[in-house]
Amino acid sequence: MINLSNNFFLDDFIVNKELCERVCISSNAYRFWKDIKAARYESSRIIFLEKKTILPKYQHILQECTPLHGMVIASAFCHFTGIASSHLIASNNSSLYKILDIRDICGIKFVNLKKFYDDLGLDYNYNIYVEKCKFFGPSPLEKKINLTNELCLGYY
């Protein structure tokens, strides 16, 4: 089992739950497969399987599975950026929710972190954090981008 960092893009992975539902097998079946690479984010129980290590008899199903290019799970996004998970719920009317690409796959919420970086014109190596603009220092001391009227993104 590989532990993923909170900013790791799932480009080469699929959701184990989705694969198992499509081929009608147990979600623990991957544990018995030879040379499978399984991964999960810290403090998460959601399992991801590397596409190229899936058994040959299930390779044809990969085209049916939802692509995860640029995605991270919502909890990893929240840990990475320091925001509360309430910002990722549509009914809370968060202005941040409107600018993020959020998807639901098999009941699991994902955020497209790569698109978020691209929309802001930032390099993927930057560490980012989101908080109220009033808590930021003066411009030369802290690099920031205004996301909404109240929220800013800091990066280093």
Side-chain angles (χ1 to χ4, degrees):
M1 181 69 63
I2 302 166
N3 282 322
L4 305 173
S5 63
N6 290 325
N7 62 339
F8 183 85
F9 303 136
L10 293 167
D11 294 350
D12 299 324
F13 289 83
I14 59 165
V15 180
N16 178 52
K17 182 178 179 182
E18 184 178 21
L19 175 71
C20 293
E21 286 177 1
R22 291 188 184 279
V23 296
C24 299
I25 58 173
S26 166
S27 61
N28 289 322
Y30 75 92
R31 294 177 185 209
F32 304 101
W33 297 346
K34 186 177 179 181
D35 299 325
I36 189 73
K37 286 192 180 174
R40 69 176 173 202
Y41 288 98
E42 286 185 41
S43 66
S44 173
R45 295 176 20 189
I46 301 162
I47 304 297
F48 303 96
L49 304 175
E50 189 175 33
K51 291 177 187 177
K52 66 182 177 185
T53 64
I54 302 291
L55 293 177
K57 69 179 180 179
Y58 298 128
Q59 284 290 324
H60 69 283
I61 300 295
L62 296 180
Q63 285 82 20
E64 298 175 25
C65 293
T66 309
L68 301 176
H69 301 291
M71 297 290 187
V72 297
I73 58 172
S75 61
F77 181 80
C78 291
H79 282 101
F80 183 60
T81 59
I83 64 167
S85 59
S86 60
H87 285 284
L88 305 181
I89 299 171
S91 61
N92 284 350
N93 267 348
S94 171
S95 52
L96 186 58
Y97 180 86
K98 297 169 185 157
I99 63 174
L100 295 172
D101 179 12
I102 300 173
R103 297 193 188 146
D104 189 277
I105 303 166
C106 292
I108 304 163
K109 192 176 284 192
F110 289 85
V111 177
N112 192 332
L113 180 60
K114 189 178 279 187
K115 182 181 181 310
F116 188 58
Y117 272 107
D118 290 343
D119 291 347
L120 297 171
L122 295 174
D123 187 81
Y124 303 136
N125 294 322
Y126 278 124
N127 288 312
I128 59 175
Y129 56 97
V130 177
E131 62 182 58
K132 291 189 176 183
C133 296
K134 66 182 181 182
F135 295 125
F136 278 83
S139 288
L141 301 176
E142 270 191 288
K143 297 178 182 178
K144 70 177 181 178
I145 298 171
N146 289 355
L147 297 174
T148 67
N149 289 338
E150 291 188 18
L151 294 175
C152 288
L153 176 129
Y155 59 97
Y156 56 95

CSV table of all heavy atoms in Angstrom, one decimal, residues 27-71:
chain,number,residue,atom,x,y,z
A,27,SER,N,-14.6,-5.6,-2.9
A,27,SER,CA,-13.7,-4.5,-2.9
A,27,SER,C,-12.3,-4.8,-2.3
A,27,SER,O,-11.4,-4.1,-2.3
A,27,SER,CB,-14.3,-3.3,-2.2
A,27,SER,OG,-14.6,-3.7,-0.8
A,28,ASN,N,-12.2,-6.0,-1.6
A,28,ASN,CA,-10.9,-6.5,-1.1
A,28,ASN,C,-10.2,-7.4,-2.0
A,28,ASN,O,-9.1,-7.9,-1.6
A,28,ASN,CB,-11.2,-7.2,0.3
A,28,ASN,CG,-11.6,-6.2,1.3
A,28,ASN,OD1,-11.1,-5.1,1.4
A,28,ASN,ND2,-12.5,-6.6,2.2
A,29,ALA,N,-10.7,-7.7,-3.2
A,29,ALA,CA,-10.1,-8.6,-4.1
A,29,ALA,C,-8.6,-8.2,-4.5
A,29,ALA,O,-7.8,-9.1,-4.6
A,29,ALA,CB,-10.9,-8.8,-5.3
A,30,TYR,N,-8.4,-6.9,-4.6
A,30,TYR,CA,-7.1,-6.4,-5.0
A,30,TYR,C,-6.0,-6.9,-4.0
A,30,TYR,O,-4.8,-7.1,-4.5
A,30,TYR,CB,-7.0,-4.9,-5.0
A,30,TYR,CG,-7.0,-4.2,-3.7
A,30,TYR,CD1,-5.8,-3.9,-3.1
A,30,TYR,CD2,-8.2,-3.9,-3.0
A,30,TYR,CE1,-5.8,-3.3,-1.9
A,30,TYR,CE2,-8.2,-3.3,-1.8
A,30,TYR,CZ,-6.9,-3.0,-1.2
A,30,TYR,OH,-6.9,-2.4,0.0
A,31,ARG,N,-6.3,-7.2,-2.8
A,31,ARG,CA,-5.3,-7.7,-1.8
A,31,ARG,C,-4.7,-9.0,-2.2
A,31,ARG,O,-3.6,-9.4,-1.7
A,31,ARG,CB,-5.9,-7.8,-0.4
A,31,ARG,CG,-6.4,-6.5,0.1
A,31,ARG,CD,-7.0,-6.6,1.4
A,31,ARG,NE,-7.5,-5.3,1.9
A,31,ARG,CZ,-7.7,-5.0,3.1
A,31,ARG,NH1,-7.3,-5.9,4.1
A,31,ARG,NH2,-8.1,-3.8,3.5
A,32,PHE,N,-5.4,-9.8,-3.0
A,32,PHE,CA,-4.9,-11.1,-3.4
A,32,PHE,C,-4.3,-11.1,-4.8
A,32,PHE,O,-3.9,-12.2,-5.3
A,32,PHE,CB,-6.1,-12.1,-3.3
A,32,PHE,CG,-6.7,-12.1,-2.0
A,32,PHE,CD1,-7.9,-11.4,-1.7
A,32,PHE,CD2,-6.1,-12.7,-0.9
A,32,PHE,CE1,-8.4,-11.4,-0.5
A,32,PHE,CE2,-6.6,-12.7,0.4
A,32,PHE,CZ,-7.8,-12.1,0.6
A,33,TRP,N,-4.2,-10.0,-5.5
A,33,TRP,CA,-3.7,-9.9,-6.8
A,33,TRP,C,-2.1,-9.7,-6.7
A,33,TRP,O,-1.6,-8.9,-5.9
A,33,TRP,CB,-4.3,-8.8,-7.6
A,33,TRP,CG,-5.7,-8.9,-7.9
A,33,TRP,CD1,-6.5,-10.0,-7.7
A,33,TRP,CD2,-6.6,-7.9,-8.3
A,33,TRP,NE1,-7.8,-9.7,-8.0
A,33,TRP,CE2,-7.9,-8.4,-8.4
A,33,TRP,CE3,-6.4,-6.5,-8.7
A,33,TRP,CZ2,-9.0,-7.7,-8.9
A,33,TRP,CZ3,-7.5,-5.8,-9.1
A,33,TRP,CH2,-8.8,-6.4,-9.2
A,34,LYS,N,-1.5,-10.4,-7.6
A,34,LYS,CA,0.0,-10.3,-7.7
A,34,LYS,C,0.4,-9.0,-8.4
A,34,LYS,O,-0.2,-8.6,-9.4
A,34,LYS,CB,0.6,-11.5,-8.4
A,34,LYS,CG,2.1,-11.6,-8.4
A,34,LYS,CD,2.6,-12.8,-9.1
A,34,LYS,CE,4.1,-12.8,-9.1
A,34,LYS,NZ,4.6,-14.0,-9.8
A,35,ASP,N,1.4,-8.3,-7.8
A,35,ASP,CA,2.0,-7.1,-8.4
A,35,ASP,C,1.1,-5.9,-8.5
A,35,ASP,O,1.3,-5.1,-9.3
A,35,ASP,CB,2.7,-7.5,-9.7
A,35,ASP,CG,3.8,-8.5,-9.6
A,35,ASP,OD1,4.5,-8.5,-8.6
A,35,ASP,OD2,3.9,-9.3,-10.5
A,36,ILE,N,0.0,-5.9,-7.8
A,36,ILE,CA,-0.9,-4.8,-7.9
A,36,ILE,C,-0.3,-3.6,-7.0
A,36,ILE,O,0.3,-3.8,-6.0
A,36,ILE,CB,-2.3,-5.1,-7.4
A,36,ILE,CG1,-3.3,-4.0,-7.6
A,36,ILE,CG2,-2.3,-5.4,-5.9
A,36,ILE,CD1,-3.7,-3.8,-9.1
A,37,LYS,N,-0.5,-2.4,-7.5
A,37,LYS,CA,-0.1,-1.2,-6.8
A,37,LYS,C,-1.3,-0.5,-6.3
A,37,LYS,O,-2.1,0.1,-7.1
A,37,LYS,CB,0.8,-0.3,-7.6
A,37,LYS,CG,2.2,-0.8,-7.8
A,37,LYS,CD,3.1,0.2,-8.4
A,37,LYS,CE,4.5,-0.4,-8.6
A,37,LYS,NZ,5.4,0.5,-9.3
A,38,ALA,N,-1.6,-0.6,-5.0
A,38,ALA,CA,-2.7,0.1,-4.4
A,38,ALA,C,-2.2,1.3,-3.6
A,38,ALA,O,-1.1,1.3,-3.1
A,38,ALA,CB,-3.5,-0.9,-3.5
A,39,ALA,N,-3.0,2.3,-3.6
A,39,ALA,CA,-2.6,3.6,-2.9
A,39,ALA,C,-3.8,4.2,-2.2
A,39,ALA,O,-5.0,3.9,-2.5
A,39,ALA,CB,-2.0,4.5,-3.9
A,40,ARG,N,-3.5,5.0,-1.2
A,40,ARG,CA,-4.6,5.8,-0.5
A,40,ARG,C,-3.9,7.1,0.1
A,40,ARG,O,-2.7,7.1,0.3
A,40,ARG,CB,-5.3,5.0,0.5
A,40,ARG,CG,-4.5,4.7,1.7
A,40,ARG,CD,-5.3,3.9,2.7
A,40,ARG,NE,-4.4,3.5,3.8
A,40,ARG,CZ,-4.7,2.5,4.6
A,40,ARG,NH1,-5.9,1.9,4.5
A,40,ARG,NH2,-3.9,2.1,5.5
A,41,TYR,N,-4.7,8.1,0.3
A,41,TYR,CA,-4.3,9.3,0.9
A,41,TYR,C,-4.2,9.0,2.4
A,41,TYR,O,-5.0,8.2,3.0
A,41,TYR,CB,-5.2,10.4,0.6
A,41,TYR,CG,-5.1,10.9,-0.8
A,41,TYR,CD1,-6.0,10.5,-1.8
A,41,TYR,CD2,-4.1,11.8,-1.2
A,41,TYR,CE1,-5.9,11.0,-3.1
A,41,TYR,CE2,-4.0,12.3,-2.5
A,41,TYR,CZ,-4.9,11.9,-3.4
A,41,TYR,OH,-4.8,12.3,-4.7
A,42,GLU,N,-3.4,9.8,3.1
A,42,GLU,CA,-3.3,9.6,4.6
A,42,GLU,C,-4.7,9.9,5.2
A,42,GLU,O,-5.4,10.8,4.7
A,42,GLU,CB,-2.3,10.6,5.2
A,42,GLU,CG,-0.8,10.2,4.9
A,42,GLU,CD,0.1,11.1,5.6
A,42,GLU,OE1,-0.1,11.5,6.7
A,42,GLU,OE2,1.1,11.4,4.9
A,43,SER,N,-5.0,9.2,6.2
A,43,SER,CA,-6.3,9.3,7.0
A,43,SER,C,-7.5,9.2,6.0
A,43,SER,O,-8.5,9.8,6.2
A,43,SER,CB,-6.3,10.6,7.7
A,43,SER,OG,-6.4,11.8,6.9
A,44,SER,N,-7.4,8.3,5.0
A,44,SER,CA,-8.5,8.0,4.1
A,44,SER,C,-8.5,6.5,3.9
A,44,SER,O,-7.5,5.8,3.9
A,44,SER,CB,-8.3,8.7,2.8
A,44,SER,OG,-9.3,8.3,1.9
A,45,ARG,N,-9.8,6.0,3.8
A,45,ARG,CA,-9.9,4.6,3.6
A,45,ARG,C,-10.2,4.2,2.1
A,45,ARG,O,-10.3,3.1,1.7
A,45,ARG,CB,-11.1,4.0,4.4
A,45,ARG,CG,-10.8,4.2,5.9
A,45,ARG,CD,-11.9,3.8,6.8
A,45,ARG,NE,-12.9,2.9,6.2
A,45,ARG,CZ,-14.1,2.6,6.7
A,45,ARG,NH1,-14.4,3.1,7.9
A,45,ARG,NH2,-14.9,1.8,6.1
A,46,ILE,N,-10.2,5.2,1.3
A,46,ILE,CA,-10.5,5.0,-0.2
A,46,ILE,C,-9.3,4.5,-0.9
A,46,ILE,O,-8.2,5.1,-0.8
A,46,ILE,CB,-11.0,6.4,-0.8
A,46,ILE,CG1,-12.2,6.9,-0.1
A,46,ILE,CG2,-11.2,6.2,-2.3
A,46,ILE,CD1,-12.5,8.3,-0.3
A,47,ILE,N,-9.4,3.4,-1.6
A,47,ILE,CA,-8.3,2.7,-2.3
A,47,ILE,C,-8.3,3.1,-3.8
A,47,ILE,O,-9.4,3.1,-4.4
A,47,ILE,CB,-8.4,1.2,-2.1
A,47,ILE,CG1,-8.5,0.8,-0.6
A,47,ILE,CG2,-7.2,0.5,-2.8
A,47,ILE,CD1,-7.3,1.2,0.2
A,48,PHE,N,-7.1,3.3,-4.3
A,48,PHE,CA,-6.9,3.6,-5.7
A,48,PHE,C,-6.0,2.5,-6.2
A,48,PHE,O,-5.0,2.1,-5.5
A,48,PHE,CB,-6.3,5.0,-5.9
A,48,PHE,CG,-7.2,6.1,-5.3
A,48,PHE,CD1,-7.0,6.6,-4.1
A,48,PHE,CD2,-8.3,6.5,-6.1
A,48,PHE,CE1,-7.8,7.6,-3.6
A,48,PHE,CE2,-9.1,7.5,-5.5
A,48,PHE,CZ,-8.9,8.0,-4.3
A,49,LEU,N,-6.2,2.1,-7.5
A,49,LEU,CA,-5.4,1.1,-8.1
A,49,LEU,C,-4.7,1.7,-9.3
A,49,LEU,O,-5.3,2.3,-10.1
A,49,LEU,CB,-6.2,-0.1,-8.5
A,49,LEU,CG,-7.0,-0.8,-7.4
A,49,LEU,CD1,-7.9,-1.9,-8.0
A,49,LEU,CD2,-6.1,-1.3,-6.3
A,50,GLU,N,-3.4,1.4,-9.4
A,50,GLU,CA,-2.7,1.9,-10.6
A,50,GLU,C,-3.1,1.1,-11.8
A,50,GLU,O,-3.1,-0.1,-11.8
A,50,GLU,CB,-1.2,1.8,-10.4
A,50,GLU,CG,-0.3,2.4,-11.4
A,50,GLU,CD,1.1,2.4,-11.1
A,50,GLU,OE1,1.6,1.4,-10.6
A,50,GLU,OE2,1.8,3.4,-11.5
A,51,LYS,N,-3.5,1.8,-12.9
A,51,LYS,CA,-4.1,1.2,-14.0
A,51,LYS,C,-3.2,0.1,-14.7
A,51,LYS,O,-3.7,-0.9,-15.0
A,51,LYS,CB,-4.3,2.3,-15.1
A,51,LYS,CG,-5.4,3.2,-14.8
A,51,LYS,CD,-5.6,4.3,-15.9
A,51,LYS,CE,-6.5,5.4,-15.5
A,51,LYS,NZ,-6.6,6.4,-16.5
A,52,LYS,N,-1.9,0.4,-14.8
A,52,LYS,CA,-1.1,-0.6,-15.5
A,52,LYS,C,-0.8,-1.9,-14.7
A,52,LYS,O,-0.3,-2.8,-15.2
A,52,LYS,CB,0.3,0.1,-15.9
A,52,LYS,CG,1.2,0.5,-14.8
A,52,LYS,CD,2.4,1.2,-15.3
A,52,LYS,CE,3.3,1.7,-14.2
A,52,LYS,NZ,4.4,2.4,-14.6
A,53,THR,N,-1.2,-1.9,-13.4
A,53,THR,CA,-1.0,-3.1,-12.6
A,53,THR,C,-2.2,-3.9,-12.4
A,53,THR,O,-2.2,-5.0,-11.8
A,53,THR,CB,-0.4,-2.7,-11.2
A,53,THR,OG1,-1.3,-2.0,-10.5
A,53,THR,CG2,0.9,-2.0,-11.4
A,54,ILE,N,-3.3,-3.5,-13.0
A,54,ILE,CA,-4.6,-4.2,-12.9
A,54,ILE,C,-4.4,-5.5,-13.7
A,54,ILE,O,-3.8,-5.6,-14.7
A,54,ILE,CB,-5.8,-3.4,-13.6
A,54,ILE,CG1,-5.9,-2.1,-12.9
A,54,ILE,CG2,-7.1,-4.2,-13.6
A,54,ILE,CD1,-6.4,-2.1,-11.5
A,55,LEU,N,-5.1,-6.6,-13.2
A,55,LEU,CA,-5.0,-7.9,-13.9
A,55,LEU,C,-5.4,-7.8,-15.3
A,55,LEU,O,-6.4,-7.0,-15.6
A,55,LEU,CB,-5.9,-8.9,-13.2
A,55,LEU,CG,-5.5,-9.3,-11.7
A,55,LEU,CD1,-6.6,-10.2,-11.1
A,55,LEU,CD2,-4.1,-9.9,-11.7
A,56,PRO,N,-4.8,-8.5,-16.2
A,56,PRO,CA,-5.1,-8.5,-17.7
A,56,PRO,C,-6.6,-8.7,-18.0
A,56,PRO,O,-7.2,-8.1,-18.9
A,56,PRO,CB,-4.2,-9.5,-18.3
A,56,PRO,CG,-3.1,-9.6,-17.3
A,56,PRO,CD,-3.6,-9.4,-16.0
A,57,LYS,N,-7.2,-9.6,-17.2
A,57,LYS,CA,-8.6,-9.9,-17.5
A,57,LYS,C,-9.6,-8.8,-17.2
A,57,LYS,O,-10.7,-8.8,-17.6
A,57,LYS,CB,-9.1,-11.2,-16.7
A,57,LYS,CG,-9.2,-11.1,-15.2
A,57,LYS,CD,-9.6,-12.4,-14.7
A,57,LYS,CE,-9.8,-12.4,-13.2
A,57,LYS,NZ,-10.2,-13.7,-12.6
A,58,TYR,N,-9.1,-7.7,-16.4
A,58,TYR,CA,-9.9,-6.6,-16.2
A,58,TYR,C,-9.5,-5.3,-16.9
A,58,TYR,O,-10.1,-4.3,-16.7
A,58,TYR,CB,-9.9,-6.3,-14.7
A,58,TYR,CG,-10.5,-7.4,-13.8
A,58,TYR,CD1,-9.8,-7.9,-12.7
A,58,TYR,CD2,-11.8,-7.9,-14.1
A,58,TYR,CE1,-10.3,-8.9,-12.0
A,58,TYR,CE2,-12.3,-9.0,-13.3
A,58,TYR,CZ,-11.6,-9.5,-12.3
A,58,TYR,OH,-12.1,-10.5,-11.5
A,59,GLN,N,-8.4,-5.4,-17.7
A,59,GLN,CA,-7.9,-4.3,-18.4
A,59,GLN,C,-9.0,-3.6,-19.3
A,59,GLN,O,-9.0,-2.4,-19.5
A,59,GLN,CB,-6.7,-4.6,-19.3
A,59,GLN,CG,-5.4,-4.8,-18.4
A,59,GLN,CD,-4.9,-3.5,-17.9
A,59,GLN,OE1,-4.9,-2.5,-18.5
A,59,GLN,NE2,-4.4,-3.6,-16.7
A,60,HIS,N,-9.8,-4.4,-19.9
A,60,HIS,CA,-10.9,-3.9,-20.9
A,60,HIS,C,-11.9,-3.0,-20.1
A,60,HIS,O,-12.5,-2.1,-20.7
A,60,HIS,CB,-11.6,-5.0,-21.6
A,60,HIS,CG,-12.5,-5.8,-20.7
A,60,HIS,ND1,-11.9,-6.8,-19.9
A,60,HIS,CD2,-13.8,-5.8,-20.5
A,60,HIS,CE1,-12.9,-7.4,-19.2
A,60,HIS,NE2,-14.1,-6.8,-19.6
A,61,ILE,N,-12.0,-3.1,-18.8
A,61,ILE,CA,-13.0,-2.3,-18.0
A,61,ILE,C,-12.4,-0.9,-17.8
A,61,ILE,O,-13.2,0.0,-17.5
A,61,ILE,CB,-13.3,-3.0,-16.7
A,61,ILE,CG1,-13.9,-4.4,-16.9
A,61,ILE,CG2,-14.1,-2.2,-15.8
A,61,ILE,CD1,-15.2,-4.4,-17.6
A,62,LEU,N,-11.1,-0.7,-17.9
A,62,LEU,CA,-10.5,0.6,-17.5
A,62,LEU,C,-11.1,1.7,-18.4
A,62,LEU,O,-11.2,2.8,-17.9
A,62,LEU,CB,-9.0,0.5,-17.7
A,62,LEU,CG,-8.3,-0.5,-16.7
A,62,LEU,CD1,-6.8,-0.4,-17.0
A,62,LEU,CD2,-8.6,-0.2,-15.3
A,63,GLN,N,-11.5,1.5,-19.6
A,63,GLN,CA,-12.0,2.5,-20.4
A,63,GLN,C,-13.4,3.0,-19.9
A,63,GLN,O,-13.8,4.1,-20.1
A,63,GLN,CB,-12.2,2.1,-21.9
A,63,GLN,CG,-10.9,2.0,-22.7
A,63,GLN,CD,-10.2,0.7,-22.4
A,63,GLN,OE1,-10.7,-0.3,-22.0
A,63,GLN,NE2,-8.9,0.7,-22.7
A,64,GLU,N,-14.1,2.1,-19.2
A,64,GLU,CA,-15.4,2.5,-18.6
A,64,GLU,C,-15.3,3.2,-17.3
A,64,GLU,O,-16.2,3.8,-16.8
A,64,GLU,CB,-16.2,1.2,-18.4
A,64,GLU,CG,-16.5,0.4,-19.6
A,64,GLU,CD,-17.2,-0.9,-19.4
A,64,GLU,OE1,-17.9,-1.0,-18.3
A,64,GLU,OE2,-17.2,-1.8,-20.2
A,65,CYS,N,-14.1,3.1,-16.6
A,65,CYS,CA,-13.9,3.8,-15.3
A,65,CYS,C,-13.6,5.3,-15.6
A,65,CYS,O,-13.1,5.7,-16.6
A,65,CYS,CB,-12.7,3.1,-14.6
A,65,CYS,SG,-13.0,1.4,-14.1
A,66,THR,N,-14.1,6.0,-14.6
A,66,THR,CA,-13.9,7.5,-14.7
A,66,THR,C,-12.5,7.9,-14.6
A,66,THR,O,-11.8,7.5,-13.7
A,66,THR,CB,-14.7,8.1,-13.5
A,66,THR,OG1,-16.0,7.6,-13.5
A,66,THR,CG2,-14.8,9.7,-13.7
A,67,PRO,N,-12.0,8.7,-15.6
A,67,PRO,CA,-10.6,9.2,-15.5
A,67,PRO,C,-10.4,10.2,-14.3
A,67,PRO,O,-11.3,11.0,-14.1
A,67,PRO,CB,-10.4,9.9,-16.9
A,67,PRO,CG,-11.8,10.1,-17.4
A,67,PRO,CD,-12.7,9.2,-16.7
A,68,LEU,N,-9.3,10.1,-13.7
A,68,LEU,CA,-9.0,10.9,-12.5
A,68,LEU,C,-7.9,11.9,-12.8
A,68,LEU,O,-7.2,12.3,-11.9
A,68,LEU,CB,-8.6,10.0,-11.3
A,68,LEU,CG,-9.6,8.9,-10.9
A,68,LEU,CD1,-9.1,8.1,-9.8
A,68,LEU,CD2,-10.9,9.6,-10.5
A,69,HIS,N,-7.7,12.3,-14.0
A,69,HIS,CA,-6.7,13.3,-14.4
A,69,HIS,C,-6.8,14.5,-13.6
A,69,HIS,O,-7.8,15.3,-13.6
A,69,HIS,CB,-6.7,13.6,-15.9
A,69,HIS,CG,-6.5,12.4,-16.7
A,69,HIS,ND1,-5.4,11.6,-16.8
A,69,HIS,CD2,-7.4,11.7,-17.5
A,69,HIS,CE1,-5.5,10.6,-17.6
A,69,HIS,NE2,-6.8,10.6,-18.1
A,70,GLY,N,-5.7,14.8,-12.8
A,70,GLY,CA,-5.6,16.0,-12.0
A,70,GLY,C,-6.4,16.0,-10.7
A,70,GLY,O,-6.4,17.0,-10.0
A,71,MET,N,-7.1,14.9,-10.4
A,71,MET,CA,-8.0,14.9,-9.3
A,71,MET,C,-7.2,14.5,-8.0
A,71,MET,O,-6.2,13.8,-8.0
A,71,MET,CB,-9.1,13.8,-9.5
A,71,MET,CG,-10.0,14.1,-10.6
A,71,MET,SD,-11.0,15.5,-10.2
A,71,MET,CE,-12.1,15.6,-11.6
